[in-house]
Amino acid sequence: MTVGIDEGLPEFDSLGKLEVIDWVRRGRNDFPFFISHIFPYSWRCWQGHKDVESGKRWLSPPENVWVPAPHIMRWARELQSSRLTARLCARKHLKSTTFYAHVMWKLFKCQENDFEGLYLSYKDEMAEYHTTLQKRSIKVNPFFADINDLTSAGTLLNYSWYDDERATFRITPAGILGFKRGRHPRVVWCLVPETKVRTRDGYKKIDEVKIGDEVFTHNRRYREVTEVMSRDIDEELIKLTLENGTVVRLTGNHRVLTKDGWKRADELVEDDDLVSFYPT
């Protein structure tokens, strides 16, 4: 059993339903509460956890003691209140672990809007190592038991709290040495500028859509655009030609709704049936 900031927390199964609801509400609104009450359950469950798919037991995290150092809570308050932060300190001060908790907190709050981010480290391999530990921490935490993992990739974080995959959360690992300019995580265009989008005021080219416009979604409703952003790409575009002659060009990681569920554009095959919400 882990010690430190985790000491005194009850076993998850002993929490009452109303207490869990209260912790979830407080955890979504307050990162210090999340890191002191919800995140430690990932560390409790690490020891001896057996992966269902592989049958192998995971090793313990690099540090299996969650130290109740005052700087952890100070960092938590700063990360919540500041848009930009920086940390410079010696090793073994739980910098990476604090960021693991921050990533999980962002996921915990991802209920309404899509979220896309990058987890950067010195090299790709180190970034993937960190996202692997984050993914395992999410998997064993009972507060995340109802989340849907949208990918089998062990180093990619791609989740949604909903079966219809709205409000998706995606974190991609990347190394600084191999990082390419032009990536703008959070909200991105995955369609070429001339792609037409259905809005309440009629069809518009996607590069003409602005904040405040209402666009038609796969849930058959209009939602207000709260942020727009573009990114440069250095990859081959996917060209989709539909039976009605419509041609769509998009990046390979753009998700497309088919009758068998969501698929990446680069995973589509010729016989896939796309779901259309266009007026007939």
mmCIF file of all heavy atoms in Angstrom, residues 242-271:
data_model
loop_
_atom_site.group_PDB
_atom_site.id
_atom_site.type_symbol
_atom_site.label_atom_id
_atom_site.label_comp_id
_atom_site.label_asym_id
_atom_site.label_seq_id
_atom_site.Cartn_x
_atom_site.Cartn_y
_atom_site.Cartn_z
ATOM 1 N N LEU A 242 -17.030 9.676 -52.692
ATOM 2 C CA LEU A 242 -18.269 9.008 -52.294
ATOM 3 C C LEU A 242 -19.096 8.615 -53.509
ATOM 4 O O LEU A 242 -18.861 9.086 -54.628
ATOM 5 C CB LEU A 242 -19.070 9.941 -51.374
ATOM 6 C CG LEU A 242 -18.307 10.523 -50.184
ATOM 7 C CD1 LEU A 242 -19.236 11.350 -49.310
ATOM 8 C CD2 LEU A 242 -17.614 9.436 -49.371
ATOM 9 N N GLU A 243 -20.093 7.765 -53.293
ATOM 10 C CA GLU A 243 -20.916 7.263 -54.391
ATOM 11 C C GLU A 243 -21.638 8.374 -55.129
ATOM 12 O O GLU A 243 -21.898 8.281 -56.328
ATOM 13 C CB GLU A 243 -21.941 6.247 -53.859
ATOM 14 C CG GLU A 243 -21.332 4.901 -53.474
ATOM 15 C CD GLU A 243 -22.401 3.914 -53.025
ATOM 16 O OE1 GLU A 243 -23.529 4.372 -52.721
ATOM 17 O OE2 GLU A 243 -22.100 2.711 -52.983
ATOM 18 N N ASN A 244 -21.985 9.455 -54.402
ATOM 19 C CA ASN A 244 -22.706 10.563 -55.036
ATOM 20 C C ASN A 244 -21.787 11.550 -55.743
ATOM 21 O O ASN A 244 -22.221 12.605 -56.195
ATOM 22 C CB ASN A 244 -23.569 11.305 -54.013
ATOM 23 C CG ASN A 244 -22.748 11.949 -52.905
ATOM 24 O OD1 ASN A 244 -21.510 11.876 -52.910
ATOM 25 N ND2 ASN A 244 -23.425 12.561 -51.953
ATOM 26 N N GLY A 245 -20.482 11.223 -55.797
ATOM 27 C CA GLY A 245 -19.544 12.081 -56.484
ATOM 28 C C GLY A 245 -18.836 13.088 -55.600
ATOM 29 O O GLY A 245 -17.901 13.763 -56.049
ATOM 30 N N THR A 246 -19.269 13.192 -54.362
ATOM 31 C CA THR A 246 -18.626 14.126 -53.439
ATOM 32 C C THR A 246 -17.191 13.695 -53.161
ATOM 33 O O THR A 246 -16.924 12.514 -52.936
ATOM 34 C CB THR A 246 -19.403 14.201 -52.111
ATOM 35 O OG1 THR A 246 -20.740 14.649 -52.380
ATOM 36 C CG2 THR A 246 -18.730 15.164 -51.142
ATOM 37 N N VAL A 247 -16.275 14.643 -53.176
ATOM 38 C CA VAL A 247 -14.864 14.381 -52.890
ATOM 39 C C VAL A 247 -14.466 15.177 -51.659
ATOM 40 O O VAL A 247 -14.723 16.374 -51.566
ATOM 41 C CB VAL A 247 -13.970 14.764 -54.083
ATOM 42 C CG1 VAL A 247 -12.495 14.574 -53.723
ATOM 43 C CG2 VAL A 247 -14.324 13.936 -55.312
ATOM 44 N N VAL A 248 -13.870 14.488 -50.691
ATOM 45 C CA VAL A 248 -13.419 15.127 -49.454
ATOM 46 C C VAL A 248 -11.941 14.805 -49.270
ATOM 47 O O VAL A 248 -11.528 13.651 -49.420
ATOM 48 C CB VAL A 248 -14.215 14.627 -48.229
ATOM 49 C CG1 VAL A 248 -13.738 15.325 -46.962
ATOM 50 C CG2 VAL A 248 -15.711 14.864 -48.438
ATOM 51 N N ARG A 249 -11.138 15.812 -48.961
ATOM 52 C CA ARG A 249 -9.720 15.608 -48.664
ATOM 53 C C ARG A 249 -9.476 15.960 -47.206
ATOM 54 O O ARG A 249 -9.898 17.015 -46.727
ATOM 55 C CB ARG A 249 -8.844 16.471 -49.578
ATOM 56 C CG ARG A 249 -8.881 16.038 -51.039
ATOM 57 C CD ARG A 249 -7.841 16.767 -51.857
ATOM 58 N NE ARG A 249 -8.053 18.212 -51.827
ATOM 59 C CZ ARG A 249 -7.074 19.091 -51.755
ATOM 60 N NH1 ARG A 249 -5.815 18.685 -51.637
ATOM 61 N NH2 ARG A 249 -7.340 20.380 -51.768
ATOM 62 N N LEU A 250 -8.798 15.095 -46.495
ATOM 63 C CA LEU A 250 -8.586 15.278 -45.072
ATOM 64 C C LEU A 250 -7.336 14.535 -44.636
ATOM 65 O O LEU A 250 -6.793 13.708 -45.369
ATOM 66 C CB LEU A 250 -9.798 14.819 -44.279
ATOM 67 C CG LEU A 250 -10.229 13.351 -44.337
ATOM 68 C CD1 LEU A 250 -11.301 13.090 -43.303
ATOM 69 C CD2 LEU A 250 -10.771 12.941 -45.701
ATOM 70 N N THR A 251 -6.863 14.867 -43.431
ATOM 71 C CA THR A 251 -5.677 14.202 -42.910
ATOM 72 C C THR A 251 -6.013 12.795 -42.443
ATOM 73 O O THR A 251 -7.161 12.474 -42.145
ATOM 74 C CB THR A 251 -5.078 15.002 -41.734
ATOM 75 O OG1 THR A 251 -6.105 15.280 -40.783
ATOM 76 C CG2 THR A 251 -4.470 16.305 -42.226
ATOM 77 N N GLY A 252 -4.995 11.959 -42.370
ATOM 78 C CA GLY A 252 -5.222 10.556 -42.045
ATOM 79 C C GLY A 252 -5.803 10.327 -40.670
ATOM 80 O O GLY A 252 -6.528 9.352 -40.453
ATOM 81 N N ASN A 253 -5.515 11.218 -39.701
ATOM 82 C CA ASN A 253 -6.007 10.995 -38.339
ATOM 83 C C ASN A 253 -7.399 11.566 -38.114
ATOM 84 O O ASN A 253 -7.936 11.453 -37.020
ATOM 85 C CB ASN A 253 -5.035 11.585 -37.315
ATOM 86 C CG ASN A 253 -4.925 13.100 -37.415
ATOM 87 O OD1 ASN A 253 -5.432 13.700 -38.356
ATOM 88 N ND2 ASN A 253 -4.263 13.724 -36.460
ATOM 89 N N HIS A 254 -7.986 12.174 -39.156
ATOM 90 C CA HIS A 254 -9.338 12.708 -38.996
ATOM 91 C C HIS A 254 -10.324 11.551 -38.870
ATOM 92 O O HIS A 254 -10.304 10.612 -39.662
ATOM 93 C CB HIS A 254 -9.716 13.571 -40.194
ATOM 94 C CG HIS A 254 -11.026 14.287 -40.036
ATOM 95 N ND1 HIS A 254 -11.124 15.515 -39.439
ATOM 96 C CD2 HIS A 254 -12.285 13.930 -40.373
ATOM 97 C CE1 HIS A 254 -12.391 15.896 -39.421
ATOM 98 N NE2 HIS A 254 -13.107 14.947 -39.977
ATOM 99 N N ARG A 255 -11.193 11.618 -37.859
ATOM 100 C CA ARG A 255 -12.149 10.534 -37.626
ATOM 101 C C ARG A 255 -13.401 10.730 -38.460
ATOM 102 O O ARG A 255 -13.928 11.838 -38.574
ATOM 103 C CB ARG A 255 -12.501 10.438 -36.139
ATOM 104 C CG ARG A 255 -11.306 10.065 -35.272
ATOM 105 C CD ARG A 255 -11.692 9.789 -33.841
ATOM 106 N NE ARG A 255 -12.407 10.905 -33.267
ATOM 107 C CZ ARG A 255 -13.627 10.833 -32.771
ATOM 108 N NH1 ARG A 255 -14.280 9.688 -32.783
ATOM 109 N NH2 ARG A 255 -14.213 11.884 -32.248
ATOM 110 N N VAL A 256 -13.877 9.651 -39.041
ATOM 111 C CA VAL A 256 -15.056 9.656 -39.902
ATOM 112 C C VAL A 256 -16.069 8.675 -39.330
ATOM 113 O O VAL A 256 -15.715 7.550 -38.940
ATOM 114 C CB VAL A 256 -14.677 9.261 -41.348
ATOM 115 C CG1 VAL A 256 -15.911 9.245 -42.248
ATOM 116 C CG2 VAL A 256 -13.627 10.215 -41.909
ATOM 117 N N LEU A 257 -17.331 9.080 -39.265
ATOM 118 C CA LEU A 257 -18.371 8.220 -38.705
ATOM 119 C C LEU A 257 -18.895 7.270 -39.770
ATOM 120 O O LEU A 257 -19.414 7.687 -40.806
ATOM 121 C CB LEU A 257 -19.519 9.076 -38.153
ATOM 122 C CG LEU A 257 -20.647 8.318 -37.443
ATOM 123 C CD1 LEU A 257 -20.104 7.515 -36.266
ATOM 124 C CD2 LEU A 257 -21.728 9.290 -36.977
ATOM 125 N N THR A 258 -18.743 5.971 -39.510
ATOM 126 C CA THR A 258 -19.265 4.937 -40.394
ATOM 127 C C THR A 258 -20.383 4.178 -39.680
ATOM 128 O O THR A 258 -20.626 4.382 -38.496
ATOM 129 C CB THR A 258 -18.160 3.945 -40.798
ATOM 130 O OG1 THR A 258 -17.872 3.080 -39.686
ATOM 131 C CG2 THR A 258 -16.884 4.679 -41.220
ATOM 132 N N LYS A 259 -21.047 3.294 -40.402
ATOM 133 C CA LYS A 259 -22.107 2.503 -39.779
ATOM 134 C C LYS A 259 -21.552 1.513 -38.760
ATOM 135 O O LYS A 259 -22.312 0.954 -37.961
ATOM 136 C CB LYS A 259 -22.912 1.779 -40.862
ATOM 137 C CG LYS A 259 -23.752 2.728 -41.713
ATOM 138 C CD LYS A 259 -24.654 1.991 -42.679
ATOM 139 C CE LYS A 259 -25.526 2.975 -43.462
ATOM 140 N NZ LYS A 259 -26.412 2.303 -44.436
ATOM 141 N N ASP A 260 -20.248 1.298 -38.790
ATOM 142 C CA ASP A 260 -19.588 0.423 -37.812
ATOM 143 C C ASP A 260 -18.892 1.211 -36.715
ATOM 144 O O ASP A 260 -18.126 0.647 -35.930
ATOM 145 C CB ASP A 260 -18.559 -0.467 -38.521
ATOM 146 C CG ASP A 260 -19.204 -1.411 -39.523
ATOM 147 O OD1 ASP A 260 -20.300 -1.920 -39.224
ATOM 148 O OD2 ASP A 260 -18.623 -1.624 -40.597
ATOM 149 N N GLY A 261 -19.168 2.531 -36.657
ATOM 150 C CA GLY A 261 -18.538 3.366 -35.648
ATOM 151 C C GLY A 261 -17.506 4.301 -36.254
ATOM 152 O O GLY A 261 -17.355 4.388 -37.480
ATOM 153 N N TRP A 262 -16.789 5.015 -35.384
ATOM 154 C CA TRP A 262 -15.791 5.979 -35.842
ATOM 155 C C TRP A 262 -14.534 5.271 -36.322
ATOM 156 O O TRP A 262 -14.070 4.318 -35.719
ATOM 157 C CB TRP A 262 -15.419 6.937 -34.710
ATOM 158 C CG TRP A 262 -16.530 7.857 -34.310
ATOM 159 C CD1 TRP A 262 -17.428 7.662 -33.305
ATOM 160 C CD2 TRP A 262 -16.862 9.107 -34.913
ATOM 161 N NE1 TRP A 262 -18.305 8.722 -33.238
ATOM 162 C CE2 TRP A 262 -17.969 9.626 -34.208
ATOM 163 C CE3 TRP A 262 -16.323 9.851 -35.959
ATOM 164 C CZ2 TRP A 262 -18.554 10.850 -34.531
ATOM 165 C CZ3 TRP A 262 -16.900 11.067 -36.290
ATOM 166 C CH2 TRP A 262 -18.007 11.553 -35.575
ATOM 167 N N LYS A 263 -13.965 5.775 -37.440
ATOM 168 C CA LYS A 263 -12.709 5.266 -37.966
ATOM 169 C C LYS A 263 -11.836 6.439 -38.393
ATOM 170 O O LYS A 263 -12.338 7.483 -38.823
ATOM 171 C CB LYS A 263 -12.938 4.351 -39.173
ATOM 172 C CG LYS A 263 -13.541 3.001 -38.870
ATOM 173 C CD LYS A 263 -13.568 2.145 -40.139
ATOM 174 C CE LYS A 263 -14.092 0.749 -39.862
ATOM 175 N NZ LYS A 263 -14.081 -0.094 -41.096
ATOM 176 N N ARG A 264 -10.528 6.264 -38.285
ATOM 177 C CA ARG A 264 -9.616 7.230 -38.871
ATOM 178 C C ARG A 264 -9.739 7.179 -40.391
ATOM 179 O O ARG A 264 -10.032 6.118 -40.966
ATOM 180 C CB ARG A 264 -8.175 6.918 -38.462
ATOM 181 C CG ARG A 264 -7.833 7.222 -37.020
ATOM 182 C CD ARG A 264 -6.485 6.644 -36.667
ATOM 183 N NE ARG A 264 -5.437 7.059 -37.592
ATOM 184 C CZ ARG A 264 -4.455 7.909 -37.285
ATOM 185 N NH1 ARG A 264 -4.389 8.431 -36.080
ATOM 186 N NH2 ARG A 264 -3.522 8.218 -38.170
ATOM 187 N N ALA A 265 -9.494 8.303 -41.029
ATOM 188 C CA ALA A 265 -9.603 8.356 -42.488
ATOM 189 C C ALA A 265 -8.640 7.372 -43.154
ATOM 190 O O ALA A 265 -8.974 6.752 -44.177
ATOM 191 C CB ALA A 265 -9.346 9.771 -42.985
ATOM 192 N N ASP A 266 -7.441 7.205 -42.574
ATOM 193 C CA ASP A 266 -6.474 6.298 -43.181
ATOM 194 C C ASP A 266 -6.752 4.827 -42.871
ATOM 195 O O ASP A 266 -6.003 3.949 -43.300
ATOM 196 C CB ASP A 266 -5.045 6.674 -42.779
ATOM 197 C CG ASP A 266 -4.836 6.727 -41.268
ATOM 198 O OD1 ASP A 266 -5.747 6.291 -40.531
ATOM 199 O OD2 ASP A 266 -3.793 7.223 -40.827
ATOM 200 N N GLU A 267 -7.832 4.540 -42.144
ATOM 201 C CA GLU A 267 -8.227 3.163 -41.860
ATOM 202 C C GLU A 267 -9.454 2.742 -42.660
ATOM 203 O O GLU A 267 -9.881 1.586 -42.584
ATOM 204 C CB GLU A 267 -8.510 3.000 -40.360
ATOM 205 C CG GLU A 267 -7.293 3.202 -39.473
ATOM 206 C CD GLU A 267 -7.634 3.156 -37.992
ATOM 207 O OE1 GLU A 267 -8.827 3.228 -37.665
ATOM 208 O OE2 GLU A 267 -6.708 3.054 -37.167
ATOM 209 N N LEU A 268 -10.030 3.651 -43.433
ATOM 210 C CA LEU A 268 -11.218 3.338 -44.230
ATOM 211 C C LEU A 268 -10.866 2.413 -45.392
ATOM 212 O O LEU A 268 -9.766 2.483 -45.955
ATOM 213 C CB LEU A 268 -11.846 4.621 -44.766
ATOM 214 C CG LEU A 268 -12.450 5.583 -43.737
ATOM 215 C CD1 LEU A 268 -12.858 6.893 -44.405
ATOM 216 C CD2 LEU A 268 -13.658 4.953 -43.045
ATOM 217 N N VAL A 269 -11.823 1.553 -45.744
ATOM 218 C CA VAL A 269 -11.674 0.691 -46.919
ATOM 219 C C VAL A 269 -12.819 0.981 -47.877
ATOM 220 O O VAL A 269 -13.795 1.661 -47.536
ATOM 221 C CB VAL A 269 -11.673 -0.796 -46.527
ATOM 222 C CG1 VAL A 269 -10.470 -1.114 -45.649
ATOM 223 C CG2 VAL A 269 -12.962 -1.179 -45.804
ATOM 224 N N GLU A 270 -12.713 0.453 -49.077
ATOM 225 C CA GLU A 270 -13.627 0.845 -50.151
ATOM 226 C C GLU A 270 -15.085 0.552 -49.839
ATOM 227 O O GLU A 270 -15.976 1.296 -50.233
ATOM 228 C CB GLU A 270 -13.218 0.141 -51.444
ATOM 229 C CG GLU A 270 -14.003 0.612 -52.664
ATOM 230 C CD GLU A 270 -13.452 0.032 -53.950
ATOM 231 O OE1 GLU A 270 -12.377 -0.598 -53.908
ATOM 232 O OE2 GLU A 270 -14.103 0.217 -54.999
ATOM 233 N N ASP A 271 -15.370 -0.510 -49.109
ATOM 234 C CA ASP A 271 -16.759 -0.905 -48.870
ATOM 235 C C ASP A 271 -17.356 -0.301 -47.605
ATOM 236 O O ASP A 271 -18.494 -0.620 -47.241
ATOM 237 C CB ASP A 271 -16.867 -2.435 -48.792
ATOM 238 C CG ASP A 271 -16.570 -3.102 -50.131
ATOM 239 O OD1 ASP A 271 -16.825 -2.445 -51.165
ATOM 240 O OD2 ASP A 271 -16.091 -4.252 -50.136
#
